[in-house]
Amino acid sequence: METKKYSSYAQIELDLKILKLEREIYYQKVLLNVDKTKESIIPFRKINKVLETVSDFSSGPYGIIIKTLIPTAIKWYLNRKRGN
């Protein structure tokens, strides 16, 4: 990298302002990318929370009833469609 030669303090101040603005732009880009990443992850968190709730519900006393009724209902539906 070539060193820059300045002839006045005004040139130095101008370059410092430019660098400060560039730094702020890159910082805002990072924040935007973080927000986009959060948005893409949040649906998975919501799905995971629903699955945890269903898992908790199915492990209790209602879960035993549901686990018994679902296969029975499926068998009944399949047999009804076949005409048996």
Side-chain angles (χ1 to χ4, degrees):
M1 185 172 168
E2 195 173 316
T3 55
K4 216 171 187 184
K5 294 183 181 181
Y6 298 100
S7 59
S8 69
Y9 285 110
Q11 288 178 339
I12 295 172
E13 291 295 323
L14 180 64
D15 273 356
L16 287 174
K17 285 181 183 179
I18 291 170
L19 289 172
K20 183 178 179 182
L21 289 173
E22 286 176 348
R23 185 179 77 189
E24 182 64 28
I25 289 169
Y26 289 124
Y27 179 73
Q28 292 299 326
K29 283 183 179 181
V30 168
L31 289 180
L32 181 63
N33 286 332
V34 167
D35 286 342
K36 285 182 181 179
T37 304
K38 282 182 183 178
E39 288 175 5
S40 67
I41 291 174
I42 286 175
F44 293 115
R45 285 185 182 170
K46 288 181 181 178
I47 291 170
N48 192 19
K49 185 68 175 172
V50 168
L51 291 176
E52 285 177 7
T53 304
V54 169
S55 174
D56 291 343
F57 183 75
S58 66
S59 65
Y62 294 113
I64 296 169
I65 296 169
I66 291 172
K67 288 177 186 176
T68 305
L69 289 179
I70 288 178
T72 306
I74 291 172
K75 286 179 188 176
W76 174 81
Y77 181 76
L78 291 176
N79 287 335
R80 189 179 138 262
K81 289 294 252 178
R82 291 185 188 151
N84 293 337

